[in-house]
């Protein structure tokens, strides 16, 4: 799948008749990574679709216990994400770290066949989320390094659309497996393990090792130097210096960038009031009485809307500003909370909430890393993305714990009302903190300005 640019970039190749040849708007590395994510998400969403019901109805967890486990599910990946991003930048091999993460997640899927109590399930989920944490930042860094800054919203949108195609197919596969087999949960976990292994194979065979910061393929490795020849009067070209390794001090210095600090703070603040997907689907079932047999299909509504709108939302963010689109996504999520609170009797409520949920993800999931990539140097791209992602995921970990406790003690209605009020306040604060200092979106759509020339020079 290639999307053509409206105009050929400067220096682009020309056809024999002199007309410019349009380069693909989405790099082959993005499409390869999107294919890996599509396959892996089929595997992951097969498990995610049945896990809340399996834990609550099958293992008898309370909402508080499920909140703790769901928080662990997201919190472990948050802690590991920073490590994965820094390692990828330090060893200059994003594909290797991403591959380790995908491989670890694939190895954990068959272990769910052996875990039938809370303790073992928690350990397996923690290991699986460790794999996700390792791969997320290197994967997003590969996407950003393969794409020009002005097109990164669209590139992330294409990747998220392919990723969401897997999220759409995974619950469908889980639904049919549960319908056709006697021991449905174990069958879902077994098939999920096979699909995850296929994703690792595709990563190894088709994803390139890296890309240059301007969106061009990484240069080929130089051939070994020939033996020195007698001096003929011509000076030999100096060897290219090897890039210095990124150390921890240099990575932490990223926090001195004002725009990155603002993005990290706002992502964390909004994450504190973002109810997890699993809780949202449990809320829908609790307030509308959806049958258990239909529960695995609820993520399909979110995934279908996300799939349709991910690319348009990313392109819109490139055009009008990522701040505007990002905050609009949270406003749509707030509208979904309001419907769950004040319109539980509407027959169309599940459809409306799932549509708003999918629109929220389309406006935020790819837009945030695109905004981060535009503020971080290329050699620290994975680390910068991981810093923001870690803060956001840790906040969502806290939200899961708090929401599960509030549901257990106060009920689902008061817990959701508190989350909605908090989201409204946090969105207002984020809108103020992220206010543009230039025309809306210019700061995160353009490249870093060139240094000023000294006075008196031209």
């Amino acid at each position: 799948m290639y999307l053509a640019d409206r105009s050929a970039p400067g220096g682009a190749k020309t056809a024999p008749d002199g007309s410019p040849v349009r380069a693909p708007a989405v790099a082959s590395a993005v499409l390869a990574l999107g294919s890996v994510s599509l396959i892996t998400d089929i595997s992951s969403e097969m498990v995610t679709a049945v896990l809340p019901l399996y834990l609550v109805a099958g293992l008898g967890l309370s909402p508080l216990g499920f909140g703790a486990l769901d928080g662990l599910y997201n919190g472990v990946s948050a802690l590991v994400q920073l490590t994965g991003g820094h390692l990828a930048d330090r060893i200059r091999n994003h594909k290797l770290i991403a591959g380790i993460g995908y491989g670890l997640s694939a190895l954990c899927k068959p272990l769910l066949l052996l875990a039938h109590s809370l303790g073992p399930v928690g350990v397996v989920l923690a290991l699986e989320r460790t794999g996700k944490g390792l791969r997320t930042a290197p994967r997003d860094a590969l996407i950003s390094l393969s794409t020009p800054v002005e097109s990164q919203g669209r590139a992330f949108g294409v990747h998220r659309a392919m990723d969401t195609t897997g999220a759409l197919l995974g619950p469908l596969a889980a639904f049919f497996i549960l319908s056709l087999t006697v021991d449905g949960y174990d069958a879902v976990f077994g098939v999920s393990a096979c699909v995850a292994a296929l994703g690792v194979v595709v990563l190894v065979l088709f994803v390139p090792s890296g890309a240059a910061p301007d969106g061009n393929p990484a240069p080929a490795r130089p051939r070994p130097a020939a033996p020195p020849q007698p001096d003929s009067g011509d000076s030999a070209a100096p060897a290219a210096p090897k890039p210095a390794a990124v150390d921890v001090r240099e990575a932490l210095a990223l926090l001195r960038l004002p725009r990155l600090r603002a993005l990290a703070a706002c992502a964390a603040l909004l994450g504190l009031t973002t109810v997890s997907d699993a809780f949202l689907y449990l809320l829908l079932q609790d307030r509308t009485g959806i049958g258990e047999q239909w529960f695995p299909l609820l993520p399909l509504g979110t995934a279908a809307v996300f799939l349709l709108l991910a690319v348009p939302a990313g392109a819109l963010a490139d055009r009008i500003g990522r701040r505007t689109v990002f905050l609009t996504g949270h406003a749509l999520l707030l509208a979904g909370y309001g419907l769950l609170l004040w319109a539980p009797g509407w027959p169309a409520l599940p459809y409306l909430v799932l549509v708003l949920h999918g629109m929220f993800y389309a406006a935020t999931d790819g837009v945030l890393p695109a905004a981060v990539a535009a503020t971080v140097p290329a050699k620290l791209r994975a680390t910068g993305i991981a810093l923001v992602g870690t803060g956001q995921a840790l906040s969502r970990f806290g939200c899961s714990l708090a929401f599960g406790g509030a549901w257990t003690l106060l009920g689902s209605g008061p817990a959701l009302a508190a989350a909605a009020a908090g989201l409204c306040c946090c969105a207002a604060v984020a809108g103020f903190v992220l206010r543009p200092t230039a025309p809306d979106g210019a700061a995160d759509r353009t490249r870093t300005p060139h240094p000023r020339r000294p006075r008196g020079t031209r």
Side-chain angles (χ1 to χ4, degrees):
M1 178 176 64
Y2 284 90
L3 304 177
D5 277 328
R6 293 184 178 181
S7 60
K13 295 181 179 180
T14 57
D17 60 358
S19 61
V21 177
R22 290 185 175 183
V26 180
S28 59
V30 177
L31 300 177
L33 285 165
S35 300
V36 174
S37 294
L38 188 155
I39 296 169
T40 303
D41 239 40
I42 292 175
S43 168
S44 298
E45 293 302 323
M46 287 176 65
V47 175
T48 302
V50 302
L51 196 61
L53 200 61
Y54 174 66
L55 294 173
V56 173
L59 300 184
L61 263 68
S62 66
L64 178 59
F66 178 76
L69 196 58
D70 187 63
L72 175 70
Y73 193 66
N74 294 299
V76 169
S77 66
L79 294 173
V80 179
Q81 188 175 156
L82 192 56
T83 302
H86 178 65
L87 280 176
D89 284 336
R90 185 175 181 84
I91 69 173
R92 305 250 177 217
N93 194 331
H94 299 85
K95 177 181 176 179
L96 175 62
I97 302 301
I100 293 173
Y102 279 109
L104 181 59
S105 293
L107 287 174
C108 289
K109 297 299 193 306
L111 295 180
L112 287 171
L113 295 169
L114 307 176
H116 297 287
S117 61
L118 179 58
V121 169
V123 171
V124 173
L125 291 181
L127 289 174
E128 199 277 336
R129 291 294 92 179
T130 299
K132 179 175 175 59
L134 282 175
R135 70 180 185 249
T136 299
R139 179 203 65 201
D140 285 351
L142 280 171
I143 294 172
S144 69
L145 291 172
S146 302
T147 309
V149 168
E150 64 273 10
S151 301
Q152 287 187 6
R154 177 170 49 183
F156 277 104
V158 170
H159 174 268
R160 295 317 196 249
M162 297 179 72
D163 181 269
T164 306
T165 302
L168 192 66
L169 297 175
L172 278 176
F175 174 75
F176 285 115
I177 291 172
L178 287 176
S179 302
L180 298 175
T181 58
V182 177
D183 196 3
Y185 291 118
D186 284 350
V188 168
F189 299 151
V191 174
S192 172
C194 297
V195 177
L198 176 61
V200 177
V201 172
V202 173
L203 173 77
V204 172
L205 295 180
F206 296 106
V207 174
S209 296
D214 292 328
N216 300 317
R221 293 184 178 179
R223 296 180 179 179
Q229 300 294 330
D231 188 7
S232 59
D234 296 332
S235 58
K242 184 178 180 181
V246 175
D247 58 23
V248 176
R249 188 180 306 171
E250 192 174 6
L252 292 176
L254 284 175
L255 294 175
R256 297 176 185 171
L257 299 174
R259 192 67 177 174
L260 183 65
R261 284 204 310 269
L263 286 169
C266 292
L269 187 64
L270 291 166
L272 287 172
T273 53
T274 302
V275 176
S276 71
D277 296 358
F279 267 128
L280 186 75
Y281 302 141
L282 287 172
L283 282 166
L284 269 175
Q285 186 193 37
D286 177 70
R287 299 183 74 80
T288 62
I290 295 173
E292 291 186 359
Q293 72 275 19
W294 303 109
F295 188 87
L297 296 181
L298 291 179
L300 291 180
T302 298
V305 177
F306 190 3
L307 174 62
L308 291 174
L309 298 181
V311 177
L316 182 65
D318 287 336
R319 187 164 63 250
I320 70 171
R322 289 153 192 160
R323 164 188 176 271
T324 302
V325 175
F326 183 71
L327 293 175
T328 300
H330 286 86
L332 293 169
L333 180 64
L334 182 61
Y337 290 175
L339 287 176
L340 278 170
L341 282 169
W342 294 297
W346 282 12
L349 176 65
Y351 307 101
L352 291 174
V353 171
L354 293 176
V355 166
L356 290 169
H357 197 222
M359 294 173 71
F360 157 71
Y361 274 118
T364 59
D365 195 62
V367 172
L368 180 60
V372 174
T375 65
V376 177
K379 68 175 184 177
L380 293 167
R381 191 65 50 81
T383 304
I385 292 173
L387 278 171
V388 177
T390 296
Q392 183 184 56
L394 286 175
S395 295
R396 291 182 176 179
F397 167 74
C399 180
S400 289
L401 292 177
F403 190 84
W407 186 339
T408 301
L409 297 175
L410 306 174
S412 61
L416 184 58
L423 179 57
C424 185
C425 296
C426 292
V429 173
F432 176 77
V433 172
L434 294 178
R435 67 193 185 281
T437 55
D440 187 20
D444 57 13
R445 286 204 310 268
T446 57
R447 298 180 185 272
T448 303
H450 294 292
R452 292 183 178 179
R453 295 179 180 176
R455 292 184 178 180
T457 61
R458 291 185 179 270

